[in-house]
Every structure is written in structure tokens, then in C-alpha cells.
Amino acid sequence: MAGALAGIKVVDLSRVLAGPWASQLLADLGADVIKIEKPGSGDDTRQWAPPSLPDGRAAYYLCANRGKRSLTVDIAQPAGQEIVRRLVADADVLLENYKLGGLKKYGLDYDSLKAINPRLVYCSITGFGQDGPYASLAGYDYIVQGMSGLMSITGPSDGEPHKVGVAVSDLFTGLYAANAVQAALIARARTGAGQHIDMALFDCSLAMLANVASNWLVGRKTPPRLGNAHANIVPYQVFAASDGHFILACGNDKQFAEVCRLIGQPQWARDTRYVSNPQRVANRSQLVPLLAMAFRHHPREHWLTALDKAGVPCGPINDVAEAFADPQAQARGMELAMRDAEGREVPMVGCPIKLSGTPVEYNLAPPDLGEHTEQILRALGYAEGDIVALRHNGTV
């Protein structure tokens, strides 16, 4: 069965995470993604190991490059630039994450390629966008997490600021980019014209602050770092049982009343200091220690069972191994094993998108460097002698 994006050709000049994350999602949805890599070294993440498979492909590289074909091209050489132009002539999308103006000197910028293919959707991913005072700066997820305010709200209230455990600025930018690409393709279906998409890690990181950003915009009060607590809801955080920690996500007054009943303090739900969520937020420093003391009297499983039965949202804190072993993760196909062209097994995280009519198909494992170079060049009309010459001079 053809995927939702079957027939869409994507030329992917991006590397590391934000761009490859976007192109992997497009590939999962059925697009033909051609990953262009530098001969000899390829995507930086191929060397970001350990761990890696026995054949040397790093786990980091594997996480973002499923469903693609790898073509090695040295775009600094005129012959390499010509290969990209031939690819773009009938492509639908080009993704790139070079520094501002980095592709213009090769004639691979938007204006140059638009002249070849006016229908091209050209998506640029940078740290700070195509304009503004920081446009020329390199963008790194860690630094952007700090600059965007995300780290200022992450970590314990009495400790240093923390980054999130994965590169969320890169990942969210990749997701926003994939959405933008599909929106531009829909717009092209109406207008016949492609367009330039300008994505910035910094912009996306500010956008993903969500309610925390809204709190500041409305209240103009700098949000504090609350550790595992919630800025707008109480109690909504981690608590310690007698044998470990669990999450309590109490979202309304009825649920709070159930919590009070379970811990043997039903009167707290009628206390004017705690009767509604705004009061509980205002009196957080009084209420939370009382709850913490009550939860220490029984083991984690006791509270999870009781809270769940009472209809109060709660959950365990799993490590990664426990999360993948969870029956729900197994039932949803979130762990899978692919086979590459040589029959080698490649463990992967499944795509979370479930489409009833055009389901995700896992057709290509993350490729070896340059695995599809000859196949793609032949399709572009290069003869065998041409390919040998391109390899000889290091173009591919």
C-alpha cells in the first residue's frame, strides 16, 4: 500500500538531528528521501558512538535516518553541484541546515534552485533563522535550550538549571519543519508554486514553552524553576512512596477530593486554602509537604492502584528499559527490528503516527554511507563511465 506521501521526492542536504528528524518523518509517511552526504565521512552522527552496531553504524545516526537512500556528493565541486541540480529538477522538497548563506556559493540556495524548479518547497533549518541579529550564528540545541528560557524552568528549584534529557529543540524544530513542508505542498497544489520555509531552533524553542510562555506574556512574572512541579496545577508532581517515586497528576477539584479521601484527610478538600486549584497553587508550600508526608506511609504500587481505581491520573517513573518492556509499548509497535539490504538486523523506535488508510511502512533501514549512489546516478542519466570518473575525482 502506498504511503500518504507516496510520489513526493525529497532531497535532504541536512545532517545531525533537526533536519534528519524532519526527513525521516516524511520518509515514514511514504516520501522518497535522498540523503546527500559528504564522501568519506557522511553525516557527523555516523561517528557519534558508542554504542553502535557491529558494522559501525552509530545508534545516534540510526535514530533519525530510517527510510532514506544515501548518495555521496561533494557539493564543493562543480560536478557535485550539477548532480544536486539534476536531482532538484523534478524534486518536490529540499531540506538543508547549512549556516546562513552557506549554499549560495555553490549555487544551491533557494533563489538559484527556484529558477530550475519553481514548484520546489525549500526548507532551511538554522539556529536563529534567515534574519535578525543572530542569523549568522551557528545553532546548537544545548545553547538554544539555554537562550530560549527552557533551561531556566528545568531542574530543581534550589539547584542549577538543567537541559532536557534529549535534544528537544532539535526534535521540535524537525517536527515543525515536517508540518511546514506538508503545508507548503498543500499550498502548492492550489497555487502551483513552491516556497521558501525558514525554520529556526530558537523560534521553535520559544513556541514550545507553551503555557509557561503564556504565563509570562499575561502576568509578566518571570517563571520560577519548579523541579517536577507544575506552574499552574497543584498537586501535579512527583511524590515519594515508601519504596520509590510516582507521578500524581491531579487536574481538578474532584480528583483532589479523591486524593484527600485516600490518604485519610477528607477535610483538606473542604479547607479554604485548598478547596480549588487557584487556592492550592497559592498555598503550594503548605499543601505539598503534607501530601508528601502522607504518601511515604505505603509503597508505590499501593498508591498507583488506589489512585487509578479512584480515577486520579498517576503513573510510575520507568527507566528506558522498563518503558520499552511495557505491554503498551509492545502493543503499539514502538520497538521494531528492520533488516537492511545485507540482512543485518537494525533495532529501531517505531513511528508514533497511526494512519488507518495509508499506514507507515518501514521499507529502508538507515543506509550505509553512499549505499545508493550508483542507483541514483544511473536514474539521473549518468553512464557507467561517468560514475567511474566521478568516483575517481572524489565527487561521489
Side-chain angles (χ1 to χ4, degrees):
M1 182 181 296
L5 295 181
I8 297 298
K9 178 181 174 181
V10 179
V11 177
D12 185 8
L13 280 162
S14 69
R15 61 230 184 262
V16 185
L17 190 54
W21 198 250
S23 59
Q24 177 170 268
L25 180 53
L26 298 175
D28 281 347
L29 294 174
D32 175 20
V33 177
I34 299 173
K35 181 178 179 68
I36 296 179
E37 302 187 73
K38 185 177 180 179
S41 56
D43 193 315
D44 296 347
T45 61
R46 287 183 179 274
Q47 287 77 46
W48 287 8
S52 60
L53 294 177
D55 58 61
R57 284 174 293 179
Y60 198 116
Y61 163 76
L62 296 175
C63 84
N65 288 288
R66 173 178 62 231
K68 307 174 188 180
R69 295 188 287 161
S70 173
L71 166 67
T72 52
V73 177
D74 182 359
I75 64 171
Q77 297 191 37
Q81 296 156 21
E82 174 59 23
I83 291 171
V84 176
R85 291 190 190 97
R86 288 200 195 186
L87 283 170
V88 165
D90 67 347
D92 299 285
V93 179
L94 184 142
L95 276 167
E96 60 93 6
N97 63 349
Y98 282 73
K99 290 176 69 173
L100 181 67
L103 290 175
K104 189 169 186 177
K105 60 185 176 182
Y106 304 127
L108 302 178
D109 56 301
Y110 174 63
D111 288 334
S112 298
L113 296 184
K114 177 184 177 183
I116 298 172
N117 180 358
R119 291 174 54 81
L120 182 68
V121 172
Y122 189 111
C123 181
S124 297
I125 298 175
T126 58
F128 299 97
Q130 301 294 302
D131 53 24
Y134 301 154
S136 63
L137 298 180
Y140 297 92
D141 175 276
Y142 201 164
I143 294 171
V144 170
Q145 284 196 42
M147 293 180 68
S148 66
L150 179 59
M151 286 179 64
S152 77
I153 59 168
T154 306
S157 57
D158 57 352
E160 66 179 12
H162 283 53
K163 69 177 180 66
V164 181
V166 293
V168 290
S169 294
D170 275 338
L171 297 172
F172 268 81
T173 303
L175 292 173
Y176 274 116
N179 274 296
V181 163
Q182 292 173 88
L185 290 172
I186 293 171
R188 188 185 70 176
R190 295 197 309 270
T191 68
Q195 58 183 294
H196 189 196
I197 300 170
D198 174 9
M199 300 297 310
L201 270 68
F202 184 69
D203 299 352
C204 293
S205 297
L206 284 171
M208 64 186 251
L209 293 178
N211 63 293
V212 173
S214 187
N215 289 347
W216 182 81
L217 291 169
V218 172
R220 296 290 162 170
K221 184 176 179 182
T222 302
R225 197 162 56 252
L226 296 173
N228 287 315
H230 195 288
N232 302 102
I233 312 171
V234 173
Y236 202 98
Q237 64 183 80
V238 171
F239 285 99
S242 63
D243 64 344
H245 293 81
F246 69 97
I247 299 166
L248 175 64
C250 187
N252 58 49
D253 299 337
K254 181 180 178 182
Q255 291 171 358
F256 178 66
E258 287 297 308
V259 171
C260 295
R261 178 183 65 81
L262 290 172
I263 62 176
Q265 302 289 348
Q267 72 279 6
W268 290 356
R270 301 186 296 273
D271 191 309
T272 55
R273 295 170 296 175
Y274 315 136
V275 70
S276 69
N277 186 68
Q279 277 72 47
R280 292 193 294 276
V281 172
N283 294 288
R284 180 197 304 265
S285 61
Q286 298 171 341
L287 176 60
V288 169
L290 295 174
L291 293 170
M293 189 179 301
F295 286 131
R296 289 185 179 276
H297 292 305
H298 294 287
R300 183 179 75 166
E301 206 53 45
H302 168 86
W303 294 118
L304 291 176
T305 301
L307 289 165
D308 185 61
K309 186 176 180 180
V312 180
C314 61
I317 299 174
N318 292 330
D319 61 28
V320 176
E322 290 170 331
F324 275 101
D326 192 289
Q328 185 66 18
Q330 296 293 318
R332 297 287 289 175
M334 291 309 296
E335 179 180 0
L336 60 97
M338 298 185 69
R339 294 280 178 183
D340 64 16
E342 297 186 19
R344 299 170 297 190
E345 185 173 289
V346 182
M348 307 254 1
V349 181
C351 180
I353 297 174
K354 317 296 183 187
L355 296 171
S356 64
T358 54
V360 167
E361 294 183 357
Y362 304 109
N363 295 318
L364 294 173
D368 288 329
L369 180 60
E371 179 179 335
H372 305 94
T373 296
E374 292 191 15
Q375 174 194 87
I376 294 168
L377 291 177
R378 288 193 191 98
L380 289 174
Y382 286 88
E384 193 66 33
D386 298 328
I387 297 172
V388 170
L390 289 168
R391 286 200 180 279
H392 181 71
N393 64 24
T395 301
V396 299

